[in-house]
Amino acid sequence: MTEQTQVVDLVITDAAELLTCAPDAPDLIGRVRGGGLAADGGRIVAVGDVSGYRGRRVIDASGKVVLPGFVDSHTHVVFGGDRAAEYAAKAAGTSPPAGATVGITGTMADTRALSVAELVQQALPRVREMVASGTTTFESKTGYGLSRESEQRLLVANALLAEAADARLVSTYLGGHAIEPGRDPEEWTAEIIAQLPEVAGSAAFNDVYCDDGYFTPAQAERILEAGLAHGLAPKIHLDAYSRTGFAEVAARLGVVSADHLNHTSDAELEVLAEAGAVGVYMPCLDYAVAHPKPLDPARLQRAGMEIALATDVCPGCWTTSMQTAIVMACRTGGMSVAAAIRAATLGGARALGLGDQIGSLTAGREADVLVLDIPSHEHLAYRLSGSTVDSVVRAGTVVGAEGAR
């Protein structure tokens, strides 16, 4: 070791392709051939030429692709039970059998029946699958309790999952997910708002589902404004099955992301883009529910929106793999592989307000890194099944590894 050599925690060497996903990358992914990465103290210290660094741990990425860890910016990973019977019946064009768990409110009953410990016990294997397939940061929404007590238990479950997961968990309060059957919508809206002071210490975001049959624009506006008053940044499930006209209000309120957007007009998308809202695209969800109007991500691109790609893992869309989301975004959504990778990394980070911390391999950011056992980034979309993960690094620590044993 020479005097010029710096000892660091981790060095990744000789990648066939290193994708920085730098914000200003002309090719969207910042592809560097034959590059490497050095990390110390959980942060990236060098990218590209790392010949001046010696790692306490070294990953040989020869013939492999190195890129930022995936950021899954829209999940409902904490819930009780499943809706397999409903899914199978819908796929076959028949009605779900008597007693089957159906819809959000069906999952509500299964979720309410579980203790916090049981909720964590059911969610943790899903989270571990997410990490194993390359997710290093994910959002976890509440929303399947739909009562004050049950939503609070979901927030506690999020906190426990954050401690147990080898990934960063961003907690989002989604009391405004749906309305319990037979409950007065205005009464539940008022109760959601009343919960927000105690929610503020347990969540980063306040979300609401504004759509036909869910929350009206007026109700959504009150919920988001009340959240802002308590320091909760706003998000919005918007226009999945109808055009509500709420996009301009959402933009005025400064939503960090607007998700679904199937029926949002082009003009409204431009307003959201001008306000800096990230458009969250979930192709697996549109596929799983056989959506009559799947979102065309090209509309978001034309409007100038940053796009985030997410799994929307939930009882109606059971996929934990961001690699699957990339496959679907390219084949069913027509995205380029580079655009889908950027959406799964930097786009997702920006949808969680973390674009200056993660989602890109640049010096000073957290060292959340994937090494994929593929010869080029195009294989991420080309390989329709199976994980290509060689190593998963979270904040400079290897949390999932095959090639780095």
Side-chain angles (χ1 to χ4, degrees):
M1 182 175 69
T2 68
E3 290 183 3
Q4 290 75 32
T5 301
Q6 181 178 343
V7 178
V8 294
D9 293 332
L10 176 70
V11 172
I12 301 173
T13 63
D14 300 319
E17 292 182 351
L18 185 143
L19 313 180
T20 67
C21 296
D24 59 353
D27 65 352
L28 301 179
I29 52 175
R31 183 172 62 160
V32 178
R33 295 187 183 276
L37 179 144
D40 199 53
R43 295 194 173 272
I44 298 168
V45 296
V47 177
D49 180 5
V50 293
S51 58
Y53 296 87
R54 184 170 71 86
R56 298 181 183 91
R57 182 161 193 173
V58 177
I59 298 175
D60 180 1
S62 300
K64 299 169 184 175
V65 174
V66 176
L67 72 160
F70 294 133
V71 182
D72 194 347
S73 57
H74 184 127
T75 90
H76 303 258
V77 72
V78 182
F79 57 86
D82 64 69
R83 300 215 299 260
E86 175 194 13
Y87 189 95
K90 287 184 175 179
T94 61
S95 298
T101 296
V102 176
I104 292 173
T105 54
T107 296
M108 173 197 75
D110 289 346
T111 300
R112 287 181 177 180
L114 300 180
S115 67
V116 169
E118 289 168 329
L119 287 167
V120 173
Q121 184 180 37
Q122 289 199 14
L124 191 54
R126 295 190 282 266
V127 171
R128 288 175 174 156
E129 287 180 7
M130 294 166 74
V131 175
S133 64
T135 295
T136 52
T137 295
F138 66 98
E139 184 214 36
S140 178
K141 300 179 188 290
T142 70
Y144 284 109
L146 304 183
S147 72
R148 189 185 194 105
E149 188 272 336
S150 295
E151 289 294 302
Q152 287 295 325
R153 285 193 295 112
L154 290 169
L155 287 170
V156 174
N158 274 351
L160 293 173
L161 275 176
E163 295 176 2
D166 289 324
R168 180 201 291 238
L169 183 153
V170 177
S171 184
T172 291
Y173 175 69
L174 183 59
H177 194 196
I179 300 159
E180 181 181 2
R183 182 132 198 219
D184 177 72
E186 284 296 319
E187 178 188 295
W188 178 228
T189 298
E191 191 164 337
I192 290 169
I193 291 169
Q195 291 179 57
L196 294 175
E198 56 193 292
V199 166
S202 304
F205 294 102
N206 178 35
D207 199 349
V208 62
Y209 195 164
C210 184
D211 210 340
D212 186 32
Y214 294 87
F215 289 81
T216 67
Q219 292 163 346
E221 184 175 6
R222 295 207 307 275
I223 291 169
L224 296 184
E225 283 185 334
L228 280 166
H230 295 287
L232 290 162
K235 281 178 167 284
I236 188 74
H237 283 55
L238 185 64
D239 296 350
Y241 291 99
S242 66
R243 179 176 174 270
T244 63
F246 188 64
E248 292 191 14
V249 177
R252 174 176 58 77
L253 292 173
V255 292
V256 177
S257 75
D259 307 21
H260 294 291
L261 302 172
N262 301 70
H263 288 267
T264 309
S265 72
D266 291 345
E268 289 172 316
L269 292 177
E270 291 177 3
V271 171
L272 287 166
E274 290 171 5
V278 177
V280 180
Y281 172 43
M282 296 163 286
C284 298
L285 181 279
D286 282 352
Y287 179 81
V289 301
H291 199 292
K293 188 178 180 179
L295 176 65
D296 178 3
R299 295 181 56 233
L300 308 189
Q301 292 170 323
R302 288 194 297 269
M305 293 189 83
E306 179 85 52
I307 300 176
L309 192 60
T311 61
D312 197 15
V313 56
C314 67
C317 177
W318 197 303
T319 180
T320 55
S321 171
M322 286 290 283
Q323 295 188 53
T324 299
I326 289 171
V327 168
M328 296 292 288
C330 294
R331 178 49 72 191
T332 68
M335 294 185 79
S336 71
V337 181
I341 291 173
R342 179 187 173 96
T345 54
L346 183 60
R350 287 177 166 173
L352 295 178
L354 298 172
D356 60 343
Q357 300 178 45
I358 57 173
S360 177
L361 302 183
T362 52
R365 292 176 187 250
E366 293 185 26
D368 290 0
V369 191
L370 297 184
V371 181
L372 302 182
D373 192 7
I374 51 177
S376 69
H377 70 278
E378 290 91 349
H379 280 253
L380 256 177
Y382 172 62
R383 301 192 184 191
L384 300 182
S385 65
S387 174
T388 65
V389 169
D390 175 273
S391 302
V392 182
V393 178
R394 162 67 187 136
T397 299
V398 179
V399 295
E402 291 296 328
R405 285 175 291 206

